[in-house]
Amino acid sequence: MTTDRRSVLAAGAAGVAAAATGTAPAHAAGPAHTADGAPRADRGRIHREPFGTLPDGRPVDRWTVTGGGTRLRVLSYGGIVQSLELPDRHGRRANVALGFRDLTDYVAHSPYFGALIGRYGNRIAGGRFTLDGHTHRLPVNDGPNSLHGGDRGFDKRLWDVQPYRKGDATGLTLRYVSADGEEGYPGTLTVRADYLLTARGALRIDYTATTDRATVVNLTNHTYFNLAGEGSGSVEDHLLTIAASRYTPVDHTLIPTGRLTRVAGGPFDFRHGRSVGAGLRAGHEQLLHGQGYDHNFVLDKGVTSAPGHAASLHDPGSGRTMRIETTEPGVQFYSGNFLDGTLTGTSGRVYRQGDGLCLETQHFPDSPNQPSFPPTVLRPGQTYRSTTVHVFGAR
């Protein structure tokens, strides 16, 4: 992205915490609420432990970060959010992120559970794009298209992870260098992602990247949420609000047509809040293309220098809420359409269609081939910057 289209992160020195020893058991911060129900300020804690070995012998770590009543577990493989534990309206904790118990399942057949996605999140038509007169060919791994960075995107790479503190937030810095030509993308891309829990338990993800050659970049996180708790069943009763008056319709291969279509009055109208399942069986052509929702919503706020409101989610049963703020111009709402009962999650329960949903903040799918969409080109001397914040609560 060009720097004038990207967020500008707040300046400030950030001290790196001393490395965790990995010898003590992970310890949660606990709900610790004030008299008015708000979480107390919590400096947060970090813990590291082994989480298995990749087929090539490289070890994978699991990092646990606690703060403000939230407990986050992240893998060095794929930058994966393995679990995210939150209290409900009664203070009872549950993991609200779909995932696996062990590394083997993530390596063998994960549908991007919790993963850090890149070099380009979402689809690129035909597995190709042209930049500065040169056509670059990418792996085709989703029908005729390239999806989420190709066969071995950032979700399948081993990241360098270090403890990190920034102001009152505690978390992790993940780093990865993507070589020139990796998965067909030009330029050596140096990537940093900071996963931070604030003192009030919000999850903030800051992405930055630089390149030595013109390339395209679109980073996001692919966590599947179920605010009732992972493995608890369908999310169709969750109430979803998306601050978007338009969305990008897709063809039968889920590539945007280039049009921006009004959501008013149809199953894509989440501006005032509605249950996830309310329009799923409406017979709308777009829902047939995706077997449900798998669409980019054009946020009314556009690209912003600071995170602005994008979406909110509420589970009436548990009372848990999530508000998403981002600098990005779009959010991909995916209703878990392709969960087919063949995957067993961390709870030991099988995941079926609609047992989780994704809200992936992003630039639009296929932007490198769609001149009317916000640009995703990054050039030498520029810095890609993007921030998304998940604010949790219960009522």
Side-chain angles (χ1 to χ4, degrees):
M1 319 298 167
T2 55
T3 51
D4 61 337
R5 301 290 294 176
R6 278 291 175 187
S7 62
V8 180
L9 301 181
V16 177
T21 63
T23 57
H27 178 65
H33 292 76
T34 63
D36 64 359
R40 294 185 186 280
D42 182 355
R43 179 61 171 163
R45 293 180 291 281
I46 304 171
H47 167 73
R48 182 179 64 187
E49 61 188 328
F51 193 74
T53 304
L54 294 173
D56 62 8
R58 290 178 297 167
V60 172
D61 291 329
R62 179 171 71 174
W63 293 81
T64 300
V65 183
T66 60
T70 300
R71 178 188 291 144
L72 170 71
R73 288 193 170 103
V74 175
L75 307 183
S76 57
Y77 175 74
I80 289 168
V81 173
Q82 192 222 5
S83 69
L84 181 66
E85 295 180 20
L86 307 172
D88 66 7
R89 65 167 64 93
H90 302 295
R92 295 174 298 205
R93 304 175 65 83
N95 170 27
V96 302
L98 275 60
F100 295 121
R101 288 179 175 176
D102 56 55
L103 180 62
T104 302
D105 284 332
Y106 282 108
V107 172
H109 46 238
S110 177
Y112 305 101
F113 282 152
L116 199 166
I117 300 295
R119 186 176 298 196
Y120 196 95
N122 220 301
R123 295 171 175 86
I124 295 181
R128 65 172 65 88
F129 67 93
T130 299
L131 178 59
D132 295 340
H134 182 76
T135 298
H136 301 275
R137 299 189 180 276
L138 315 172
V140 171
N141 62 338
D142 184 64
N145 307 314
S146 186
L147 175 65
H148 292 334
D151 293 331
R152 293 191 65 226
F154 290 178
D155 61 294
K156 298 177 180 66
R157 304 291 176 171
L158 193 62
W159 291 70
D160 175 72
V161 184
Q162 297 295 328
Y164 178 57
R165 295 190 189 275
K166 182 178 182 180
D168 64 357
T170 302
L172 307 168
T173 289
L174 292 79
R175 290 184 172 88
Y176 177 69
V177 178
S178 176
D180 182 23
E182 183 177 282
E183 297 298 295
Y185 288 91
T188 300
L189 190 74
T190 301
V191 184
R192 170 175 171 165
D194 296 333
Y195 288 24
L196 292 164
L197 290 184
T198 72
R200 297 178 68 85
L203 170 60
R204 177 183 176 114
I205 305 179
D206 293 327
Y207 306 92
T208 59
T210 56
T211 185
D212 62 1
R213 181 182 172 193
T215 190
V216 295
V217 187
N218 191 27
L219 306 181
T220 191
N221 179 271
H222 206 292
T223 295
Y224 290 65
F225 293 98
N226 185 327
L227 296 185
E230 170 275 331
S232 65
S234 174
V235 296
E236 287 190 22
D237 62 347
H238 282 35
L239 302 177
L240 175 64
T241 304
I242 304 178
S245 301
R246 298 172 297 171
Y247 76 105
T248 52
V250 296
D251 64 19
H252 69 283
T253 72
L254 301 181
I255 291 294
T257 63
R259 301 193 311 273
L260 305 183
T261 298
R262 296 281 176 183
V263 302
F268 288 82
D269 193 348
F270 288 91
R271 291 174 298 168
H272 308 296
R274 63 189 295 173
S275 68
V276 169
L280 272 175
R281 293 163 183 82
H284 194 286
E285 180 186 39
Q286 286 294 307
L287 295 176
L288 296 177
H289 284 336
Q291 299 182 36
Y293 295 100
D294 195 0
H295 294 77
N296 171 66
F297 285 72
V298 180
L299 297 175
D300 292 338
K301 70 174 190 62
V303 179
T304 49
S305 60
H309 177 61
S312 60
L313 191 66
H314 175 221
D315 169 44
S318 68
R320 293 187 185 92
T321 63
M322 177 176 70
R323 186 176 78 252
I324 297 178
E325 302 170 351
T326 187
T327 57
E328 292 296 299
V331 61
Q332 184 85 4
F333 169 34
Y334 170 57
S335 53
N337 317 324
F338 301 110
L339 298 174
D340 59 3
T342 62
L343 304 177
T344 301
T346 49
S347 61
R349 298 185 179 94
V350 169
Y351 295 146
R352 299 190 180 278
Q353 188 177 51
D355 280 359
L357 62 82
C358 302
L359 294 164
E360 305 154 65
T361 56
Q362 60 179 15
H363 270 53
F364 304 167
D366 200 37
S367 289
N369 297 312
Q370 303 270 1
S372 64
F373 288 177
T376 56
V377 175
L378 180 70
R379 298 185 181 278
Q382 299 175 337
T383 299
Y384 169 103
R385 301 183 191 274
S386 178
T387 296
T388 295
V389 183
H390 298 77
V391 181
F392 306 111
R395 62 173 191 262

